[in-house]
Amino acid sequence: WAPRAVDREKVKRKAFVLCGNLGAQAYQNRQFLRSLDWYEKARELYPYSRAVHFNMSRVYEAQGEWEKANEYFMDSLKTLKAAGEKRRMVDVLNNLGSLFRQKGEWETARTHLEHGLQILGDLGDERGKASVLHNIGLVYGEEGKPDEAEERFLGSLEIVKEVGDEMNRATTLYDLALLYKDVGRYDEAVKQLEQVVKIYESAGHPDPRIHKSAEMLAEVEKASSRRGK
């Protein structure tokens, strides 16, 4: 008796899933070399797996191996484009934006993020657009272009308010408050932080960010008070 092809494929698929899960677990534990080892085993089973390429790129990014991360992200992007999986392309473009933001290559980061924003517009994905606008705002903020950053944050806030996404609204309000604080617009920073604290308190569950927001609120109010004297 010889195992049927369907049985062999089933065993292979189970082994692939196991390797992927173990790779993800090692990644979460910051055991990057072990994570890569498991993902390599998964890739041996299915060499053209888009998920494996994407996950390996995230590991290389976490290790600061930018070129390797970029290589795997681009491979993943290419295969997703060929398969017509536009929404998953946006996830890769977001990661590429983050990668180049960490490297300080602002224009390249924005190019990837704006590509993702265009795709989301075609798909009509409003929540996704809000997230990418937020990320573009972060790029502009770190680049030292506060006006452009504010415009993107406000655009993101308009969308998340419309769709009722309060937790992501709080995240963007917090980053907008940081921007206002950095440019000395303390009164506006206070207004954003007060909303952040209110959202977290209304959520009905503990969130460590509420303490961070409250601490920053006190810090900004103190800075505003000193300036007013």
Side-chain angles (χ1 to χ4, degrees), residues 172-192:
T172 302
L173 285 167
Y174 183 85
D175 285 329
L176 181 60
L178 280 176
L179 179 72
Y180 287 152
K181 172 179 173 286
D182 288 343
V183 297
R185 294 166 63 179
Y186 298 119
D187 290 345
E188 289 168 274
V190 168
K191 290 178 183 176
Q192 312 311 314

Side-chain angles (χ1 to χ4, degrees), residues 10 19 35 41 50 77 79 102 115 138 154 156 161 197:
K10 192 173 182 180
C19 290
S35 179
K41 287 180 171 60
R50 296 185 290 275
L77 190 63
T79 54
Q102 291 178 70
H115 184 189
L138 291 174
L154 291 175
S156 177
K161 187 174 182 180
V197 173

Side-chain angles (χ1 to χ4, degrees), residues 12 31 37 103 144 151 177 182 197:
K12 182 180 176 182
Q31 298 171 327
D37 185 49
K103 292 179 69 178
E151 180 182 343
D182 288 343
V197 173

